[in-house]
Amino acid sequence: MANEMQKTTPFGMRDKVGYMFGDFANDFTFILSSSFLMKFYTDVMGVSAGVVGMIMMIARFVDAFTDVTMGQIVDRSKPTRDGKFRPWLKRMCGPVAIASFLIFQSGLAGMSYGFKVAWLFVTYILWGSIFYTSVNIPYGSMASAISADPKDRAELSTWRTIGSTLASLVIGVGTPMVAYVTVNGQTVLSGSRMTIIAGVFSVCAILCYLLCFNLVRERVDVPANNSKMDIGKMLKSVFTNRALLGIIAAALFLLLAMLTMQGMAGYVFPNFYGSAAAQSTASLLSSVLILLVCAPFASKLANRFGKKELATVSCIVATVLEVICFVLKPANVWVYVGFFCAAFICLGFFNTIIWAMITDVIDDSEVRNGIREDGTIYAVYSFARKLGQAFSSGLTGGLLTMIGYSAATAFDPEVTMGIFNISCIAPAIGFVAVALSLFFIYPLTKQKVEENVAALAQRHNK
């Protein structure tokens, strides 16, 4: 049973702020990796973009086992005096932060090529496939234990997005301002500065995880799943769950669009436009606009029109913006910043409500199967997000290799034009795929979600 004091403490701002700090903590390592790992290993460590992308994709196959295993561990664990999910934040915050720091070790740049590839492979697996999984899945699953009220969960989703946006603000704006230096008139990434930045962010991640642990309370008892583990039954449940498959497809392509935008920003701004300052400004503006536009209005629009409906329309608009930018090919960097920020706002509407959509999927599964499987469903979804991260890294690395990008050709006109084209085309493809996935696969319309909430309320009150 959960701690009685936790259950009697009413849901409020303390929980929302605490849950925000949890995503802030996650993104101190996640956004740093998605935005700068490829750049660090190509430009500082001298590893081929194709090799880096391949390692990231291989790691995601490892996640197919570690994510689902962690989901089962969480579902089968017994609640403690601190709750069922919260204890994992305290247990694993140190390992995930240390592993992230080890990835960005510029002092190893002089080692052999094989050693550097091996170092990246081992540290990246430890960070993303083991330690990040062991803290992120309990954190994401915890939302349904904080409150049973769908409105409270929607607010948690919004505050989680606020945490992610603040992390993007700190990392996306601050890192380029500190990490880049000018050498012979060219804007290049400093390896030693990146190592220091990674260390600072790792400490910040630990502090934010501990804040989340201390501020959030679990009020809903989620008993341990003591049923015999049946892999075949679990896989059948996953592959016949249309809502889960729909959100998985949408999440995969959402990450493809979002992380390609973030990853290519590290190339298009310094290499095509020659302005690291514009990269910081774009991150600043997009983050501020998400806080001012998406965070206040996403929940209200979703409540009125439906989460699925809002997400689909926002992705269609983002696609149009990326296509227009590709056709115009603005020579002025600030025009490109405008397109970047507008597309990111569209992305932000979906990203703000997607966590509430996951709880809708969990509710739908309980209505159909009569079993609450928060950890397992969230683990499958988390794996899909990591696939999106891997595919974007693999795609980015492969496309950069295809256009001939290397440290020696980084500023050749043909290569920089290829960088610009990738920065528009790849996200546009991702946005189109998200919209199609939501429209044709994901079944949880506004009406269906309301029916599920009513059915569960009636079932739980019996």
Side-chain angles (χ1 to χ4, degrees):
M1 297 290 289
N3 188 308
E4 290 299 323
M5 183 175 68
Q6 292 187 45
K7 292 164 62 177
T8 56
T9 304
F11 176 86
M13 183 59 69
R14 180 187 177 101
D15 296 278
K16 290 181 278 191
V17 172
Y19 205 64
M20 175 198 73
F21 275 117
D23 204 86
F24 209 150
N26 275 344
D27 284 336
F28 266 122
T29 62
F30 181 82
I31 293 179
L32 183 68
S33 172
S34 61
S35 298
F36 293 98
L37 188 147
M38 178 77 74
K39 184 76 171 176
F40 179 81
Y41 270 86
T42 55
D43 292 18
V44 176
M45 305 296 281
V47 178
S48 162
V51 172
V52 178
M54 184 60 66
I55 288 174
M56 290 180 169
M57 293 188 70
I58 291 173
R60 301 294 74 85
F61 287 102
V62 178
D63 293 343
F65 299 96
T66 59
D67 279 16
V68 175
T69 299
M70 191 64 204
Q72 285 288 307
I73 291 173
V74 170
D75 279 340
R76 295 171 183 276
S77 64
K78 295 181 179 179
T80 69
R81 63 183 302 275
D82 291 324
K84 181 183 178 77
F85 306 101
R86 289 173 62 236
W88 292 99
L89 302 179
K90 187 166 62 173
R91 292 168 188 160
M92 303 310 300
C93 63
V96 71
I98 293 170
S100 175
F101 173 64
L102 290 176
I103 293 174
F104 294 91
Q105 295 302 304
S106 61
L108 301 176
M111 302 295 289
S112 69
Y113 192 86
F115 178 89
K116 289 183 288 188
V117 171
W119 180 266
L120 170 61
F121 182 82
V122 172
T123 56
Y124 189 73
I125 291 288
L126 284 174
W127 167 72
S129 300
I130 299 177
F131 298 137
Y132 184 82
T133 290
S134 65
V135 71
N136 182 53
I137 288 176
Y139 165 73
S141 305
M142 185 169 60
S144 59
I146 296 174
S147 174
D149 190 330
K151 292 183 179 178
D152 293 344
R153 295 176 181 178
E155 290 191 49
L156 288 174
S157 180
T158 297
W159 279 85
R160 177 170 182 169
T161 300
I162 291 174
S164 175
T165 304
L166 290 174
S168 297
L169 193 64
V170 172
I171 298 167
V173 176
T175 303
M177 294 176 64
V178 177
Y180 286 101
V181 295
T182 301
V183 178
N184 298 324
Q186 296 178 334
T187 304
V188 298
L189 190 70
S190 168
S192 59
R193 293 188 180 190
M194 276 302 302
T195 301
I196 295 172
I197 290 169
V200 172
F201 286 166
S202 291
V203 173
C204 291
I206 293 174
L207 294 176
C208 288
Y209 279 126
L210 293 178
L211 282 170
C212 180
F213 173 82
N214 284 286
L215 292 174
V216 169
R217 294 292 179 265
E218 295 183 25
R219 297 170 182 80
V220 180
D221 285 321
V222 182
N225 180 0
N226 295 318
S227 62
K228 184 178 179 181
M229 186 173 178
D230 187 332
I231 299 296
K233 184 178 180 180
M234 183 183 71
L235 291 175
K236 181 180 178 181
S237 176
V238 168
F239 287 108
T240 57
N241 187 335
R242 186 180 168 192
L244 180 58
L245 292 177
I247 202 66
I248 283 174
L252 193 156
F253 293 120
L254 171 70
L255 267 292
L256 172 67
M258 181 177 73
L259 297 180
T260 301
M261 287 179 68
Q262 292 177 341
M264 289 306 301
Y267 294 90
V268 71
F269 285 110
N271 295 77
F272 183 77
Y273 286 109
S275 176
Q279 182 180 354
S280 293
T281 303
S283 296
L284 173 62
L285 289 176
S286 58
S287 298
V288 170
L289 288 171
I290 286 176
L291 291 174
L292 295 178
V293 179
C294 300
F297 297 109
S299 294
K300 295 178 182 178
L301 290 171
N303 288 335
R304 180 172 180 180
F305 300 106
K307 304 181 190 75
K308 169 182 174 175
E309 295 79 359
L310 173 61
T312 303
V313 171
S314 65
C315 287
I316 292 173
V317 175
T319 302
V320 173
L321 290 169
E322 292 289 355
V323 171
I324 293 174
C325 185
F326 171 72
V327 172
L328 293 180
K329 288 183 170 58
N332 189 310
V333 65
W334 302 112
V335 176
Y336 181 87
V337 168
F339 278 106
F340 182 93
C341 292
F344 220 84
I345 290 174
C346 296
L347 176 79
F349 276 114
F350 184 20
N351 220 20
T352 299
I353 60 174
I354 194 169
W355 308 110
M357 295 173 75
I358 297 303
T359 57
D360 290 343
V361 172
I362 294 172
D363 286 347
D364 184 68
S365 178
E366 184 180 3
V367 168
R368 294 186 306 105
N369 302 325
I371 301 174
R372 192 81 184 179
E373 295 180 304
D374 301 71
T376 300
I377 290 177
Y378 188 84
V380 173
Y381 169 72
S382 175
F383 172 58
R385 286 182 65 87
K386 289 183 178 181
L387 279 181
Q389 180 192 13
F391 288 160
S392 68
S393 300
L395 178 64
T396 301
L399 291 174
L400 285 171
T401 300
M402 187 182 300
I403 63 174
Y405 181 89
S406 67
T409 65
F411 294 91
D412 290 353
E414 290 184 1
V415 172
T416 57
M417 180 55 70
I419 288 172
F420 174 86
N421 291 338
I422 293 171
S423 74
C424 296
I425 295 173
I429 293 173
F431 285 129
V432 169
V434 172
L436 292 175
S437 299
L438 291 172
F439 188 81
F440 289 107
I441 305 176
Y442 186 72
L444 300 186
T445 61
K446 183 175 186 292
Q447 179 180 352
K448 181 61 177 176
V449 169
E450 292 172 350
E451 290 174 357
N452 283 344
V453 170
L456 289 178
Q458 183 179 16
R459 181 182 299 177
H460 294 162
N461 289 331
K462 285 185 178 180

